[in-house]
Structure formats: C-alpha cells, structure tokens
Amino acid sequence: MNNDYCDKTAFTFYRARHFFSSVIRRLTKRTTLLLTIAVSVCALQAHAATLRMAFDNNVVSLDPHELLSESSLQFSHLVYDPLIRWKKDGSLEPRLATKWEQIDPKTVRFYLRKDVQFITGNAFSAKDVAYTINRLKGSPDFRAMFDTIQGTKIIDLYTIDIISVAPNPLTLNVMTYVFPMDRVYFKDRDKIVKYGETFASKNVSGTGAYYIEARKTGVKTVLKRNPHYWDKESKGNVDKLILTPIRNASTRLAALLSGDVDFIFPISPIDIPRMKQQKGIKVRTLQGTRIALLHMNEERNLALKDIRVRKAINLAINQKLIVDKILKGYGTPAGQLSADRFLGHVSSLKPEYNLAKAKALLEDAGYKDTLSVSMMASNNRYVDDKLVAEAIASMLSKVGIKVNLKTLPKAQYYQEFDRRSADLMMVTWQSDTLDSNNLFEFLVACPDGSSGLGAYNASEYCNPSINQAIGQANTEMNPERRIRLLQSVERTLHNDAAVVPLFWQSLNWASKENVHFENVVNDQNYPYIDRLIITENKGTRD
C-alpha cells in the first residue's frame, strides 16, 4: 500500500463526506469501522512532513470575499489558487491562468489550466472564473477594486476575456485577487455577509494545495495536502498543516522554543535579538509595504474638521520614536501612505515632529488644553499595536489633548471600526495591487457605499479632487502621467493633514532551522506553503 494510494483513498473519503454525508450516516457501524481502519493504516504509512504554524490571529471567515484582510488572503493561498500571483521579486507568475495577452485597450484574455478539479471533484473552467469575478464585484470589501472591471466574456471552457470599464493599467494586479470558487458547489448558497453565519463562511471548495480536514474556530484548523493538486512541479513536502492562533507574542514565542510549533509569525521586535542567538532557530526579516496610520473622524468630532487641529495631531506624534523604542527599529517612519516602491511616493514628504508648533496650532484653533478625543485600536492584530496606541495617546497628552483610549481584540475591533465608533482609529493597510491608488481608493476616497470607495476611510474625510485623481489614475496608461497623478494625491493628503501616517511595518518570521521558509515568503506576507521544504529532523514528522 503506497503513500500516493493512501492519500487518494483518504481524499476520496473526504469527498464522499462532503457530498454524501447523509449516505455515510446510514453506513453500518462495521463498514464505518473498516473505513476508519483503512484511513488509519494509510496515515501510519505516509510519513510526510507536518508543519505546525502559529499566527497572531484567527481566520474569521472561510469566505474569500467576505473580508479584505491579510489573514483571509493568506488562507486563500492555501485552499484556493489565484489566476496569477506575485513572486518574491515583484513579478507575476501563472497559476490557474497559464498565460494572458492584451486583446485590445480594455480587454485581457486569460488562458486557463485544463484538468484542474475543485476539492469536491467538480471540474474547473472559465465559468468558475466568470462566477467569481461577478461575486467579487458585489462584495462590500472588494467591489472598489473590481469596480474597474466591466465584466467577462467566456470564449471557451478554458479561455476568458476580462473586460475593463476603460483602459486599465492594473488589470493584472487586480487578477491576483481572483481565487476561483466552485460555482456548482456554492450555487444558491453564496450570500456574502460580513461577520455573518453563511454557508460560504463555513465551507470551502477550492483548487488549492490543501483542503480542510478539521476546524474549530479560534482554536485550530487542520489542513491536508490535496492529492489531486494540479501543480506537480511543486517541491514542497508539507502534507499536513496545523494552524493555531496564538495572540500573545510571548506565548507564541514560547511555543516555538518548546517545540510545540515549527513556524511563527509575527515576532515582537523586542525578542528578535535573543531569537537570532537561539540555537536551532532562524529568523527572517523583510521590509514590508504595509502602512500603519491613524484616522481622525471629522464627522464624529467637529474639532477635527479644523485643519489646524489635524495638523497639530500630526505634529504631536513622533513616528521615529515609535519605530525606535517600540518596534526596536523593525519598521520605517512614514510621512505619507505610499511606500518608496510605489509610484505615488514623494521623497520630500517626511514625518515632522514639533510639539511647540502643535501647541500653537491648537491654541490658535481655540483648543488650548480643552480638546478631548476618543480613540480605538486593536490589541492583538499588529506587532505591539496596543503599545503603539498607548504611545500615541501619551504623545497627544503632551500638547493638551485628552485621549480616552480603548483597545480591543481583532474580531471585536474591526466591527467597531466599521461602525466608526471612535474619533481616532488606528489601522494598517497593505496595498492589494502593490500600487498607491489602492491605498487611496480604500483609505481616503470620499466614502461611497455603492462603489466601495472609501470603505476603510474612518476619517470621513472627503476631497473631490482626490476622487477625480483616483479615477484618472485607474485609466491612465502613460506611466509618467500616472506617477504625477498619484504623487499629487499624496501632496494633497499631506497639505490637508487628512490622516496621520505612522510607519511601514517590517515582517518578522521565525522557525525551527529545518523549516526552509526563506524562499516561500514575500513582502505581502503570503507564505506559499505548497513550496515549503521541511528537512528530516526529530519533532517535525507525524
């Protein structure tokens, strides 16, 4: 009985359970026992590598279109496949699409892989891509990104045209977020409800390298390698993946050092020097492009409509001190939203810290020692997010602003964020398209529920000229003109003191020395586990 046979036998039972659970329940106890023994024997004989991974947060929903979040996208890369995906060097590689070509200024034709199956056994085709893009256009979190896509045209079962509303310089970037869903499996039960109890939030049918074997929300998710996975060239040997959310950084680190887990993210900056000296452990750091910022809600607190007050808050916050003292240098102070690899980055826009000037602006605005603001932040979503929030509150107190700070776990915080429940709200954002315009569309555009623009604009800031520039940049094919448009937005945001840019986060991972994750992580923090190699070492096998 070989390992390949065992994997396929176990997976066959998984599919049977998926579709015929009612039939399986009617099997005799004896038959069920025989099936259990067969699968157990296979498990004993298949000595493939197991990876036990601990993250700082839990996957809230299995629906890939419910939440545009880092944890959701990381999970999508495990159980689904995108049409194309980013490589470590910033280029794009084919996945479910084998190649693509520009047919006309508004149309890109994608040629799809044949003989690919979803975990249910349903065949993958262009119909699933069309279904998925249509669903994304209706998602509250994704619709702003896909608003530039007019629709699709199926040429044949394995060829599909993606048609933009206008010539679109970012069509390929947007397609990295198309993780085709099984249209047959989800038919008539694919409703998207944020933080809701839906069929799609609890069930998965993807084409990815892994499928869910067991899951207890907030406790543990067990994934098994898909024996029918199309990518036979993948050299990864992780057959079983156990995902455990461990919110506390010290507890997460202790789990790695004790051998309870093999791979963790993130590491608190304060622990990195010690970890680098730890025998049998390796640490990897990449400079990321995720921006941390502070929103100032102009509708909740009328004082924040005054540009003098917003500028004073910007001047009172010392970004460099936060990076140096709290992040221990594992970050870059920010004076704008666009990281230096993005087209909108303006090299002259630097963080400015000036307490005297901040106090003078507040006094001029009539708020000398009289301004009170509420503030909310997460306390387990980002590296040392609670400490950063506390530091900001302390800094604002030095210019006479009283801050009522409340920090919440991720799940609760983002519901409060959606409700805009505080005057100041802290958030981070990874540009989904590795482009400045994605930052602008979601974080500072005038909020518009129908288009999805400004979906994460908790400042309620609105400058029509920015919306106009966003629209122009989405159709501008000339790189130089596009750069000028994006940079003009950064300068407007700076001049309006629309938000408080804080820092760009560094990404810090640690693992046992036999877990070779160096080449499967990128600056978007999507570890491609299907390519991960674990070499022989006691404690890393079933």
Side-chain angles (χ1 to χ4, degrees), residues 9 13 18 55 59 80 106 119 121 150 164 174 191 195 197 203 213 269 283 287 317 326 328 343 370 415 494 535:
T9 300
F13 290 141
H18 220 69
F55 281 95
V59 179
Y80 290 93
K106 297 195 295 184
I119 58 169
Q150 178 179 306
S164 298
V174 172
K191 187 176 182 181
Y195 310 107
E197 297 290 320
N203 294 275
E213 183 181 59
V283 176
Q287 179 54 54
I317 295 173
I326 298 177
K328 305 301 178 185
L343 296 182
T370 61
Q415 293 182 55
H494 175 79
T535 51

Side-chain angles (χ1 to χ4, degrees), residues 210-258:
Y210 298 91
Y211 66 94
I212 298 176
E213 183 181 59
R215 173 171 163 83
K216 187 173 182 180
T217 305
V219 179
K220 182 170 68 174
T221 300
V222 180
L223 302 170
K224 284 286 290 180
R225 187 86 172 195
N226 179 356
H228 300 291
Y229 189 45
W230 61 265
D231 189 357
K232 304 305 180 185
E233 296 183 3
S234 173
K235 304 301 182 184
N237 68 336
V238 176
D239 178 69
K240 186 175 183 179
L241 175 60
I242 302 172
L243 300 175
T244 304
I246 302 178
R247 294 182 175 86
N248 182 272
S250 298
T251 306
R252 196 164 54 247
L253 180 58
L256 177 64
L257 294 176
S258 68

Side-chain angles (χ1 to χ4, degrees), residues 369-374 393 396-397 399-404:
D369 298 325
T370 61
L371 181 59
S372 295
V373 296
S374 58
L396 293 179
S397 71
V399 294
I401 299 176
K402 182 181 179 181
V403 179
N404 178 20

Side-chain angles (χ1 to χ4, degrees), residues 258-309:
S258 68
D260 289 339
V261 299
D262 311 303
F263 185 18
I264 65 171
F265 176 87
I267 320 165
S268 177
I270 198 171
D271 294 318
I272 293 177
R274 178 166 66 97
M275 291 298 293
K276 286 183 174 180
Q277 302 299 317
Q278 190 76 32
K279 186 178 179 180
I281 299 294
K282 57 185 175 183
V283 176
R284 174 98 171 143
T285 296
L286 286 178
Q287 179 54 54
T289 58
R290 176 176 288 273
I291 181 73
L293 66 141
L294 190 68
H295 276 296
M296 300 173 284
N297 195 306
E298 301 177 21
E299 298 302 320
R300 279 185 53 91
N301 191 323
L302 295 182
L304 297 174
K305 283 186 175 291
D306 192 320
I307 191 172
R308 294 168 295 183
V309 174

Side-chain angles (χ1 to χ4, degrees), residues 9 17 94 110 173 184 366 396 431 518 535:
T9 300
R17 183 182 67 191
F110 288 84
N173 304 51
V184 174
L396 293 179
S431 171
E518 298 88 343
T535 51

Side-chain angles (χ1 to χ4, degrees), residues 406-531:
K406 184 177 182 179
T407 64
L408 298 165
K410 172 195 170 185
Q412 292 97 313
Y413 176 67
Y414 276 102
Q415 293 182 55
E416 297 300 326
F417 185 94
D418 283 346
R419 298 185 187 110
R420 310 297 192 248
S421 297
D423 303 335
L424 308 182
M425 302 200 83
M426 196 169 76
V427 71
T428 74
W429 193 265
Q430 170 67 54
S431 171
D432 305 299
T433 54
L434 295 185
D435 182 77
S436 299
N437 221 27
N438 179 265
L439 299 167
F440 305 152
E441 288 173 327
F442 282 94
L443 296 173
V444 294
C446 299
D448 183 347
S450 61
S451 69
L453 285 172
Y456 285 79
N457 180 356
S459 292
E460 304 288 344
Y461 164 83
C462 179
N463 184 326
S465 70
I466 286 180
N467 276 49
Q468 183 179 7
I470 288 171
Q472 291 175 346
N474 276 334
T475 60
E476 181 55 69
M477 303 300 286
N478 181 288
E480 291 303 318
R481 287 198 293 267
R482 194 165 187 275
I483 287 172
R484 288 196 293 271
L485 277 169
L486 297 175
Q487 289 183 337
S488 72
V489 174
E490 282 290 7
R491 291 190 178 95
T492 299
L493 293 172
H494 175 79
N495 293 337
D496 285 354
V499 296
V500 185
L502 296 172
F503 52 82
W504 293 288
Q505 292 181 272
S506 293
L507 301 172
N508 307 307
W509 301 270
S511 77
K512 294 178 179 178
E513 61 184 352
N514 66 315
V515 178
H516 303 287
F517 69 90
E518 298 88 343
N519 294 320
V520 305
V521 295
N522 59 24
D523 62 6
Q524 289 180 283
N525 197 24
Y526 305 149
Y528 299 150
I529 304 299
D530 60 289
R531 294 183 177 175

Side-chain angles (χ1 to χ4, degrees), residues 354-371:
N354 190 321
L355 288 181
K357 189 175 178 181
K359 290 178 180 179
L361 282 168
L362 287 170
E363 185 172 356
D364 188 52
Y367 294 104
K368 182 180 180 180
D369 298 325
T370 61
L371 181 59

